[in-house]
Amino acid sequence: MTGNGLPPRRKARRRMVAVVLLVALAVIAAGLTLMISLRPNGSPGAVTQTASPEPDAASTPASPTPPTPDATPTTTPTTEPSLVPPPEPSPTVPGTTTAAPPALPFPEPLLGQDITSIPGAGKQIALTFDGGANAAGLQSILSTLERENVRATFFLTGTWAAANPDGVARIVASGHRLGNHSMTHPAFTQLTDPIIADEIGRAESAIVAAGGSPRPFFRFPFGDRDARTINTVNGLGYVPVRWSVDTLGWQGTSGGMTRESVLQRVLGGLQPGGIVLMHIGSNPDDGSTLDADALPLVIEGTRSAGFGFVTLDALLAG
């Protein structure tokens, strides 16, 4: 026995057992460390999951990562509520008001129409003259209107205004009203909306350059129009104005018309608020100016029938 009371052989066995236990504990610890390092996310107890093709709505992040361009869903996607918050309303600044849309330059009831008469005008008519060919009858017309103290409305093409700027100035100086008759006098139903806008815009520019203003009155060349072209003209700030009677003086003597036939067409078509169509220029074949020649008789006969005269501004009073 040794000094601690145990035989030397037993003491040696205890030391051997202790060494074996230490080695075993070291092996177990190393194994545990290896297992922990192999778990997902490096945390004990984590469980590996199979990714689903569509995220769960409850776990969808506020800003989801968009799918790759070539990703093809295997099922029909369902519409999910937008995750983008609605825009905040603009704060109202004290002392300011919301700008209203620009007002129409003519009464709203005139929208969508090609006007053939003046509502509520009573026993008055409007004399209107188209200018597109030449100015052969202008001086005679202006002289008659001045002498009879009658004001009329002149629908001018941009081409006419550019060729007769002094004529535009004389019409305006005499107190008459102007209207837009397009730039080159085409058939409008054959034009696209952008070309219509160009025709009207260029005519307006030419008339304004000569010292006049055609707004808001427009007359379709040849009277050619439909619902689309009327709406397009309205959108450009114009109201189309047609007529209730055409004198047909533009047909000239070569077309079988005379000064007396012009007069009878006007008197036969008199109606409250009527709009009479006449022309400034001469017939291109015979050079006659029947509307200008018949105008004194037209004014006299109209007054004898109990009618007076107004410009198309009477349309804007409604």
Side-chain angles (χ1 to χ4, degrees):
M1 297 181 64
T2 61
N4 58 7
L6 293 173
R9 187 170 296 177
R10 183 179 296 178
K11 188 175 182 179
R13 277 201 302 272
R14 286 187 174 183
R15 287 178 179 172
M16 185 176 296
V17 170
V19 170
V20 171
L21 288 174
L22 288 174
V23 171
L25 288 173
V27 171
I28 292 170
L32 288 173
T33 301
L34 179 61
M35 289 177 63
I36 290 172
S37 67
L38 293 177
R39 292 182 187 277
N41 300 325
S43 58
V47 179
T48 304
Q49 295 181 346
T50 303
S52 60
E54 302 248 339
D56 187 353
S59 62
T60 302
S63 300
T65 303
T68 56
D70 59 350
T72 302
T74 56
T75 59
T76 303
T78 57
T79 302
E80 300 208 30
S82 173
L83 298 176
V84 181
E88 293 289 334
S90 301
T92 301
V93 180
T96 63
T97 57
T98 303
L104 285 173
F106 50 85
E108 188 172 355
L110 301 182
L111 284 171
Q113 300 185 56
D114 190 13
I115 307 300
T116 58
S117 64
I118 304 172
K123 293 193 71 173
Q124 298 188 96
I125 68 168
L127 293 178
T128 67
F129 297 86
D130 285 3
N134 56 55
L138 181 61
Q139 185 54 55
S140 174
I141 290 169
L142 290 179
S143 296
T144 299
L145 295 174
E146 181 66 24
R147 183 175 65 251
E148 298 294 337
N149 194 28
V150 173
R151 298 294 173 263
T153 305
F154 290 76
F155 286 91
L156 308 177
T157 66
T159 301
W160 193 97
N164 300 279
D166 59 328
V168 176
R170 281 187 288 154
I171 292 170
V172 173
S174 298
H176 303 293
R177 199 63 165 84
L178 298 180
N180 190 322
H181 198 33
S182 82
M183 185 67 192
T184 62
H185 206 271
F188 266 46
T189 59
Q190 306 304 310
L191 306 180
T192 63
D193 289 354
I195 295 179
I196 289 174
D198 179 70
E199 278 282 336
I200 292 177
R202 287 196 294 139
E204 180 176 322
S205 296
I207 294 170
V208 169
S213 176
R215 286 183 174 271
F217 303 119
F218 174 79
R219 176 165 283 163
F220 285 104
F222 312 108
D224 179 51
R225 85 284 194 235
D226 55 21
R228 175 185 67 88
T229 54
I230 290 173
N231 289 335
T232 301
V233 169
N234 286 161
L236 296 170
Y238 283 90
V239 55
V241 180
R242 201 172 176 80
W243 54 85
S244 56
V245 57
D246 181 351
T247 67
L248 299 183
W250 56 270
Q251 292 184 356
T253 56
S254 59
M257 296 299 294
T258 65
R259 185 179 64 171
E260 288 70 26
S261 63
V262 168
L263 172 63
Q264 293 307 314
R265 285 189 62 82
V266 174
L267 297 183
L270 284 178
Q271 65 179 60
I275 301 172
V276 179
L277 169 61
M278 307 180 86
H279 286 79
I280 297 173
S282 61
N283 180 279
D285 298 323
D286 55 49
S288 61
T289 55
L290 295 182
D291 283 337
D293 298 343
L295 184 58
L297 296 177
V298 167
I299 294 174
E300 179 184 0
T302 299
R303 283 175 170 160
S304 296
F307 284 79
F309 298 92
V310 294
T311 67
L312 293 179
D313 281 333
L315 281 169
L316 307 181

